[in-house]
Amino acid sequence: MKHFTLSLFLLFCSTAVLAQTRGTYTINGFVTDEATGEKLINAYVFDKVSQQGTTTNAYGFYSMTLPKDSVALQVSYVGYAPYLKGSFLNRRTVTEMDVMLIQDNILEEVEVIGSISGEVQERTQMSSVNLDIKTVKNLPVLLGETDLLKVIQLLPGVQSGTEGTSGFYVRGGGPDQNLILIDGVPVYNVSHLFGFFSVFNADAINNVQLIKGGFPAEYGGRLSSVLDVRMKEGNMKEWKAEGSVGVISSKLTVEGPLWKDRTSMIVSGRRTYLDVLTQPIILANNPNGSGGYYFYDFNAKVNHKINRNNQLYLSFYNGLDEAYIRYNDSYENSGFRNQTLSDNSLNWGNRIATARWNWIVTPKLFSNVTATYSRYRFLTDLNLEENQTDLNTMITTNNRFAVTYLSEIVDKGARWDFDYAPSPNHAIKFGASYTQHAYEPGVNTITFASGSNSLDTNFGSFPKVADDYVAYFQDDWKIGDRLRVNMGVHFNGFSVDEVNYQSLQPRLSARYLLSEKSSIKWSYVQMAQYMHLLSNQTIGLPTDLWVPVTENIRPQEAWQTALGYAHNLGEGWELTLEGYYKDMQNLIEYKDGASFLFGFQDWQEKVTSGRGWAYGMEFLLEKKSGRTTGWLGYTLAKTMRQFDEINFGNPYPYTYDRRHDVSLTMSHQFNEAWSGGLVWVYGTGRATTLPTRTYYARPDGNSWEPWYYTIDQVSGRNNFREPAYHRLDLSVTHTKQKKWGEASWQFGVYNAYNRINIFFMDFGSDDNGNRVLKGYGLFPMIPSVSYAFKF
Amino acid sequence: MKRFITLLTSVAALALLSCERIIPFNSEDVDPLITLYTTLQPDSFVEASVSRSVGILDQGQPLLLDNAQVWAEDSNGIFLDSLYFLGSGKYRAASLVGQEGQSYQIHAKYPNLTPAYGRATIPFVPAEGAVDSIEAVEGNLNGPGPIALPYVSYSFEVIDDGRPGYYFIEAYERLRGTTTIPNYALEVETDDPYVTGSGFGQFQWKQRIDLSNELFLGGSHTLNIRVYQWEFSGMEILFKLKKVDQATFFYQRSLDQYQRANGNPFTQPVSVYSNVADGLGVVSAEAYRWILP
């Protein structure tokens, strides 16, 4: 397989080098928002004359090499009026065709020009969804908080975790198998408030793409999905601000030109005020204590255009969650003053910084150089101090005890990517990157001091540093009028503790046009992942540990194949139908009985490796334009796991094996002032491990006494299926134009028919004293209100 | 303002607390089953313990079963002997004694319960390999194992009969010169790479070393064992080398894990092994030898 892959790689290289450029014409340009200058990513650019099409890259740039001397350029992007312009081309010079799109007027139906809005059947890329950020903002949400990941969970093939949480599971994969990128930088934990909200501030987001299969060669390092989130660059034309005030948090975004049409900036912040609200209650109950919880996000970006061919970006993100309890009490007794001080906190968060340079090297060659820094940290800090003062002698004795638990991963890296359009039939991407990962996967520190005795010790897992290097190449190759093939290879090497792993991963996808409006697609990919996430499924704390592969714990590997059908139904309607099969190897899981917290063992001794497999069928019917937009998605899927040391080697259903998953979303614009949203979801219940009987253990062979140890029988891992999950959310928004800008009130209700969806289960008693299994829901029907403004 | 916030929070808490519902169980998942335990040994009467499970929602404890029908068959299903009731859920064969290398099926039947059965093959008594002491070490704060405990190192040879299975090695002490069979096992430890896994949770030290013969099937393997004991003088160490079947190994290991994990919310759930068809419990077999170094 490796030889075949290498041969394919060399064939592509030679194809690219030998690509004919004679008799061709090159156009390139940026696609931007006319009002703000914001680059539009994945905008569809199509030439009606040659019937060639492409999409803008992550920086809004496109380049096409065309066979004819005239072009009729159509550019489309969801939420914008289509653009059409014709021009004659000169072979000797490159024609720069920058395009500015205007946001569409939603009071009138958008006129569809040909297949312009139906590029789903044109694209080679399958198993992917481009989310319109306006859709994310218009759908009803939990407690009035717009959340990107909650919307992602509504897509077919994507399962949500426990009630209300942000974790997502794609085509049977685990939560660690999703590559989540913010401006190209991987983020390790995207949850606030124990998973109920994500770190993404929708006001600062430009573009979101989710890829579930058929991964392009530029992506790697995770098995199951890529969520590529691109943040806004800042308004190049004028200063703007928008914000909102909600039940849980408030946010503010300010953007504008530092130098009109040359340098822009955007700053966005969000903070919750749960701690402020709860502080009086805590103080009322305990004047000596304080406690609370808060989270915040801060995004900042500066974008400078040196000239048309060179652009610089600097971006920064910092987010934190902290829960804390502090206590300070003193009293006098028997001639002593006793003081107890306690300071306990739990905090976790991400910090990301990037510097980027875009360079149009030649009209056909675009390059991007990026330097990145990313840190995720989870820290538990428990401190207790006791002081006792003899009131006669005024001598104080002091005892201190502190425990910290730290889990951290720090990435530093650089990458260089190229987009190259050598000929009408080839669109090539290639590049390389290096990242240094520094892991501290669960280090416990105990400090104790009492009189002359002291202890200061570390135990648990030890820090590791890993080198991660990548090279990739892919060619999107048009073969004839109907067939388009994307062939690529992704090479990844990973080195840690004198252990080296390497993988050469083929990436293949193809699209065959059945007609102007429909196509069939196929893909085959191999993926490798060099880090694991140890996740305890019994409690809901963010205690997940990111650990690297080692000599004993091998990389996760997967291959996936998918077959699909895409149809543009016209009038903004699109239909896709896909079937897939995925096989995963070297997955890791905590062994039965393993303790994940405050353990004396290295993490490698607590885990075991095994395999998983998943298959299913996904249906998606979308309406992308007009007064009413939304989608209906259905997934029929099965996913299993098998570990030799778990469940006695027998296969068992994965926790998030949901046989059926349905989602219906709708946004409707009634008129200029009023709009509404609806979400209905249904999913088969999670698989969980639950005892069903109690029985005696084997008696002690020498004892005749009827004393026996009892066992709660668990017939197998994930032997019990929770009740199905379903929920209806509704919202209505009133927008009013003010002299200073625009104000909106959104009224929503989460879980409109008050379904008790299970968050956790426990045994208890009913009103008659009978023992029953009780399921507890987290969110009943919850109304919400939020106020948003723009100026 | 304080009262308003308190009221608002109380209402919210009340709303959340009322979010509960009763989840039904399938009756077939919780109906009582016969629990059957048998440990077959060579040259020992065939015995069984029979009880009845209770559903997880039922009140009360499992029940020992009096006067169940319990009998033994050979591997072809031919009746061998009935087991008569001794009391406290225990049953013993009138005359049937286990034989090395023989397979047996043990059946149990009780009114209104689904009959259950299990099968096992008795291993051969393990051969006696060379067991020699290497050194005795005084209590050592920086040494291996339980802090400051003295220990004796032994080289322990296991000679395998070529039949797949597992070895349990236990160490006991008794007064030198006596012939009593001790009841309690000492803590033992080894760094041998063939030893199946290490401790789980937080505890490394065990009173048994488990060894699979997969890597030295039909051959022999010598491992260094540390036996921890408080007193040296006047006592002698003797080893119990057991050859056990897979059912014994799986059951014992899973039970150890279950007992360590039970009640701890920070551990993964543990399923205790069972090989009784249509019931619960374990029908297993072992053969052992005492070895005096």
Side-chain angles (χ1 to χ4, degrees):
Chain A
M1 188 63 193
K2 271 193 181 172
H3 291 301
F4 172 74
T5 308
L6 191 58
S7 303
L8 213 57
F9 176 72
L10 292 171
L11 175 62
F12 302 152
C13 289
S14 56
T15 302
V17 169
L18 294 174
Q20 295 295 319
T21 58
R22 288 185 196 168
T24 58
Y25 305 82
T26 300
I27 64 169
N28 67 28
F30 290 94
V31 178
T32 58
D33 181 312
E34 189 266 348
T36 65
E38 197 72 46
K39 303 283 192 330
L40 298 179
I41 301 165
N42 287 325
Y44 187 62
V45 181
F46 183 75
D47 170 33
K48 286 194 77 173
V49 173
S50 64
Q51 296 291 300
Q52 309 277 6
T54 188
T55 54
T56 54
N57 66 11
Y59 311 100
F61 179 80
Y62 76 93
S63 176
M64 293 169 71
T65 301
L66 304 173
K68 298 187 179 173
D69 63 356
S70 63
V71 61
L73 203 66
Q74 297 179 359
V75 181
S76 65
Y77 194 74
V78 174
Y80 290 78
Y83 171 95
L84 179 62
K85 183 179 178 181
S87 179
F88 287 101
L89 305 176
N90 187 323
R91 186 177 301 154
R92 293 195 190 87
T93 61
V94 173
T95 304
E96 294 174 354
M97 294 183 76
D98 290 338
V99 174
M100 288 188 281
L101 297 184
I102 301 171
Q103 293 193 22
D104 61 6
N105 182 346
I106 54 175
L107 290 179
E108 297 163 12
E109 288 293 332
V110 172
E111 183 186 351
V112 175
I113 304 172
S115 64
I116 197 169
S117 66
E119 68 269 16
V120 66
Q121 78 280 12
E122 293 283 344
R123 289 195 305 259
T124 321
Q125 177 66 54
M126 64 184 301
S127 310
S128 76
V129 176
N130 251 88
L131 268 187
D132 177 16
I133 203 63
K134 285 182 201 162
T135 302
V136 174
K137 290 184 175 183
N138 289 340
L139 290 177
V141 291
L142 175 62
L143 296 168
E145 295 290 326
T146 303
D147 193 86
L148 170 65
L149 293 191
K150 295 278 195 320
V151 177
I152 292 289
Q153 292 170 356
L154 300 174
L155 297 170
V158 183
Q159 311 281 359
S160 60
T162 48
E163 160 83 280
T165 59
S166 301
F168 61 103
Y169 304 77
V170 180
R171 292 187 173 177
D176 62 327
Q177 296 176 356
N178 306 314
L179 179 65
I180 302 174
L181 302 169
I182 295 179
D183 280 346
V185 183
V187 185
Y188 292 97
N189 186 313
V190 291
S191 298
H192 282 313
L193 194 55
F194 306 103
F196 293 127
F197 303 106
S198 71
V199 302
F200 299 107
N201 181 348
D203 290 345
I205 295 175
N206 179 4
N207 185 75
V208 179
Q209 184 183 27
L210 176 71
I211 306 173
K212 301 173 288 181
F215 302 102
E218 63 189 285
Y219 295 113
R222 302 287 189 277
L223 299 191
S224 287
S225 80
V226 176
L227 180 64
D228 193 347
V229 179
R230 300 283 168 172
M231 309 306 284
K232 285 182 179 174
E233 294 168 5
N235 194 320
M236 278 284 193
K237 310 286 185 186
E238 56 182 337
W239 285 93
K240 293 275 185 186
E242 63 179 303
S244 65
V245 178
V247 174
I248 295 293
S249 70
S250 291
K251 51 190 176 184
L252 177 66
T253 301
V254 177
E255 57 177 318
L258 296 173
W259 184 356
K260 193 171 179 185
D261 292 324
R262 293 292 294 272
T263 309
S264 68
M265 60 149 282
I266 179 169
V267 173
S268 184
R270 174 175 67 163
R271 194 194 191 279
T272 181
Y273 23 72
L274 286 173
D275 51 340
V276 175
L277 292 177
T278 56
Q279 198 65 260
I281 299 165
I282 294 169
L283 282 174
N285 288 301
N286 189 346
N288 297 322
S290 67
Y293 167 82
Y294 70 92
F295 70 79
Y296 74 83
D297 296 296
F298 177 76
N299 289 278
K301 197 164 180 179
V302 174
N303 160 31
H304 175 64
K305 197 188 296 183
I306 300 170
N307 52 46
R308 189 181 180 276
N309 292 342
N310 291 276
Q311 196 150 359
L312 292 174
Y313 305 83
L314 293 172
S315 59
F316 177 78
Y317 166 81
N318 195 64
L320 182 75
D321 285 71
E322 182 163 31
Y324 60 91
I325 298 174
R326 298 184 181 116
Y327 181 80
N328 186 345
D329 186 32
S330 64
Y331 66 93
E332 291 185 9
N333 182 35
S334 305
F336 289 93
R337 185 185 309 125
N338 300 287
Q339 184 187 30
T340 302
L341 299 111
S342 170
D343 185 351
N344 308 303
S345 66
L346 188 73
N347 65 68
W348 66 96
N350 298 281
R351 179 174 297 166
I352 294 168
T354 61
R356 180 174 290 115
W357 169 38
N358 285 352
W359 175 27
I360 302 176
V361 183
T362 73
K364 299 182 184 181
L365 184 64
F366 176 95
S367 108
N368 169 63
V369 182
T370 309
T372 62
Y373 170 86
S374 169
R375 187 198 77 183
Y376 168 69
R377 169 186 287 180
F378 169 76
L379 179 67
T380 302
D381 200 8
L382 308 173
N383 293 279
L384 179 65
E385 184 174 338
E386 291 179 336
N387 299 315
Q388 189 180 63
T389 304
D390 186 328
L391 293 173
N392 293 321
T393 62
M394 297 310 289
I395 294 173
T396 301
T397 54
N398 171 265
N399 295 319
R400 281 178 287 113
F401 178 75
V403 178
T404 61
Y405 175 83
L406 170 70
S407 170
E408 183 179 81
I409 174 168
V410 176
D411 289 354
K412 298 173 193 167
R415 65 180 294 140
W416 203 341
D417 302 288
F418 294 89
D419 290 356
Y420 179 46
S423 73
N425 295 331
H426 293 273
I428 291 170
K429 289 189 176 186
F430 60 97
S433 73
Y434 167 78
T435 307
Q436 183 196 71
H437 305 285
Y439 301 87
E440 291 210 47
V443 178
N444 302 281
T445 303
I446 292 180
T447 308
F448 171 78
S450 176
S452 59
N453 298 315
S454 66
L455 175 70
D456 189 344
T457 182
N458 293 334
F459 59 93
S461 302
F462 295 98
K464 289 190 188 295
V465 175
D467 299 306
D468 187 350
Y469 38 98
V470 168
Y472 71 91
F473 181 92
Q474 75 175 40
D475 183 13
D476 199 69
W477 183 8
K478 189 168 186 284
I479 306 171
D481 291 335
R482 292 179 179 265
L483 181 63
R484 193 165 193 112
V485 176
N486 187 307
M487 292 184 284
V489 63
H490 180 98
F491 170 79
N492 196 173
F494 196 89
S495 172
V496 61
D497 281 351
E498 298 174 1
V499 174
N500 292 298
Y501 291 105
Q502 294 172 352
S503 68
L504 204 58
Q505 303 159 29
R507 308 285 176 84
L508 303 167
S509 59
R511 179 269 288 155
Y512 184 82
L513 279 175
L514 296 172
S515 69
E516 200 180 75
K517 292 185 180 297
S518 67
S519 63
I520 55 172
K521 302 183 185 182
W522 168 82
S523 69
Y524 172 83
V525 296
Q526 288 184 9
M527 309 290 286
Q529 181 167 331
Y530 295 96
M531 55 183 78
H532 303 273
L533 180 68
L534 299 182
S535 180
N536 185 286
Q537 296 172 17
T538 57
I539 63 172
L541 288 177
T543 47
D544 298 341
L545 301 181
W546 284 97
V547 293
V549 294
T550 67
E551 191 178 7
N552 303 313
I553 306 294
R554 295 186 56 79
Q556 299 182 55
E557 293 172 338
W559 63 266
Q560 183 184 163
T561 186
L563 183 66
Y565 171 77
H567 192 108
N568 171 25
L569 300 167
E571 308 279 325
W573 289 90
E574 290 179 357
L575 169 70
T576 56
L577 196 63
E578 274 189 33
Y580 67 89
Y581 182 89
K582 181 196 289 184
D583 189 89
M584 297 167 280
Q585 303 286 336
N586 302 326
L587 305 179
I588 64 170
E589 180 67 72
Y590 278 112
K591 293 176 183 173
D592 286 344
S595 174
F596 80 97
L597 194 61
F598 298 129
F600 293 89
Q601 294 170 295
D602 184 74
W603 65 268
Q604 295 180 73
E605 297 177 36
K606 303 182 196 178
V607 302
T608 183
S609 65
R611 62 176 286 246
W613 59 96
Y615 51 91
M617 185 273 297
E618 296 167 8
F619 166 90
L620 179 64
L621 179 64
E622 273 186 280
K623 186 168 190 292
K624 290 185 166 178
S625 59
R627 284 179 180 268
T628 307
T629 58
W631 66 79
L632 171 65
Y634 171 66
T635 306
L636 175 66
K638 184 170 183 176
T639 176
M640 301 287 287
R641 296 288 189 267
Q642 188 272 324
F643 292 80
D644 289 343
E645 292 185 83
I646 294 175
N647 207 39
F648 306 107
N650 299 314
Y652 61 92
Y654 186 46
T655 301
Y656 299 102
D657 169 46
R658 286 201 166 101
R659 194 70 63 249
H660 305 280
D661 193 271
V662 181
S663 56
L664 171 67
T665 73
M666 272 175 40
S667 296
H668 182 73
Q669 192 74 35
F670 296 101
N671 52 44
E672 218 176 85
W674 291 94
S675 63
L678 175 152
V679 168
W680 184 77
V681 293
Y682 173 91
T684 307
R686 289 185 312 162
T688 189
T689 306
L690 205 66
T692 51
R693 296 183 178 87
T694 302
Y695 65 104
Y696 284 129
R698 187 166 61 187
D700 184 323
N702 294 322
S703 170
W704 286 91
E705 294 297 323
W707 178 87
Y708 295 89
Y709 183 78
T710 57
I711 299 169
D712 287 337
Q713 181 216 8
V714 169
S715 60
R717 181 68 78 98
N718 292 340
N719 59 319
F720 187 83
R721 191 66 70 165
E722 292 179 355
Y725 178 104
H726 52 91
R727 188 190 86 232
L728 173 68
D729 307 329
L730 300 167
S731 71
V732 63
T733 305
H734 180 255
T735 304
K736 197 168 183 180
Q737 300 301 323
K738 305 276 193 185
K739 286 181 191 171
W740 46 264
E742 183 182 287
S744 302
W745 284 95
Q746 187 187 71
F747 304 91
V749 59
Y750 181 90
N751 196 6
Y753 52 77
N754 203 29
R755 161 83 174 172
I756 299 175
N757 290 306
I758 305 303
F759 182 65
F760 76 94
M761 297 184 295
D762 196 11
F763 292 101
S765 302
D766 63 10
D767 295 337
N768 299 320
N770 299 315
R771 194 155 188 245
V772 293
L773 177 65
K774 287 188 176 180
Y776 295 89
L778 193 61
F779 299 122
M781 182 174 66
I782 301 181
S784 65
V785 59
S786 63
Y787 174 75
F789 54 88
K790 283 186 193 176
F791 55 88
Chain B
M1 180 66 179
K2 203 184 282 186
R3 281 187 190 172
F4 171 74
I5 293 172
T6 306
L7 180 64
L8 197 64
T9 312
S10 305
V11 168
L14 192 62
L16 291 173
L17 282 173
S18 66
C19 294
E20 65 176 57
R21 53 188 279 205
I22 294 172
I23 299 172
F25 266 95
N26 289 330
S27 59
E28 59 192 32
D29 290 338
V30 297
D31 281 346
L33 295 175
I34 289 176
T35 307
L36 173 64
Y37 290 105
T38 299
T39 303
L40 299 168
Q41 295 178 343
D43 303 325
S44 295
F45 285 106
V46 173
E47 294 183 340
S49 299
V50 184
S51 59
R52 190 202 81 166
S53 70
V54 292
I56 198 72
L57 302 179
D58 295 336
Q59 310 283 4
Q61 294 289 306
L63 290 177
L64 300 175
L65 290 181
D66 299 342
N67 299 315
Q69 273 184 274
V70 186
W71 70 97
E73 295 174 358
D74 67 10
S75 55
N76 295 318
I78 299 194
F79 174 85
L80 293 174
D81 200 358
S82 291
L83 281 67
Y84 63 91
F85 180 58
L86 294 175
S88 298
K90 291 186 185 285
Y91 297 76
R92 176 184 285 172
S95 59
L96 181 63
V97 168
Q99 303 293 325
E100 288 178 314
Q102 295 299 312
S103 298
Y104 301 89
Q105 290 186 81
I106 310 299
H107 294 256
K109 197 171 170 184
Y110 196 84
N112 299 320
L113 294 176
T114 305
Y117 71 95
R119 58 169 63 97
T121 301
I122 299 178
F124 287 85
V125 175
E128 182 172 351
V131 179
D132 299 300
S133 62
I134 300 173
E135 62 171 345
V137 177
E138 296 291 336
N140 184 350
L141 197 65
N142 295 319
I147 296 172
L149 270 186
Y151 65 88
V152 182
S153 280
Y154 291 87
S155 75
F156 195 106
E157 183 189 26
V158 179
I159 300 173
D160 185 61
D161 58 11
R163 298 179 183 84
Y166 300 82
Y167 290 97
F168 284 176
I169 304 172
E170 299 168 346
Y172 297 80
E173 66 175 356
R174 66 182 178 193
L175 279 174
R176 199 180 297 277
T178 62
T179 56
T180 52
I181 303 298
N183 288 332
Y184 58 90
L186 300 171
E187 282 171 342
V188 291
E189 199 178 49
T190 181
D191 300 321
D192 193 281
Y194 281 19
V195 171
T196 310
S198 61
F200 302 95
Q202 298 176 340
F203 300 99
Q204 296 270 7
W205 316 303
K206 301 184 295 187
Q207 292 170 317
R208 189 183 74 239
I209 289 172
D210 304 339
L211 176 66
S212 167
N213 69 352
E214 196 177 9
L215 294 173
F216 62 101
L217 197 67
S220 69
H221 180 68
T222 301
L223 55 158
N224 286 350
I225 295 176
R226 292 186 290 277
V227 180
Y228 292 89
Q229 56 173 163
W230 287 105
E231 297 285 339
F232 289 121
S233 59
M235 305 296 285
E236 65 180 4
I237 300 291
L238 67 161
F239 289 93
K240 191 175 190 180
L241 175 63
K242 285 188 195 175
K243 182 80 183 288
V244 303
D245 61 0
Q246 188 183 65
T248 304
F249 177 76
F250 277 174
Y251 175 77
Q252 200 59 59
R253 296 266 289 184
S254 58
L255 183 64
D256 290 344
Q257 291 173 359
Y258 179 88
Q259 289 173 320
R260 287 195 189 114
N262 200 19
N264 185 342
F266 300 116
T267 58
Q268 297 293 324
V270 177
S271 174
V272 177
Y273 180 77
S274 171
N275 71 345
V276 172
D278 301 321
L280 299 165
V282 170
V283 172
S284 61
E286 63 185 39
Y288 67 86
R289 170 190 295 283
W290 288 102
I291 298 175
L292 192 64

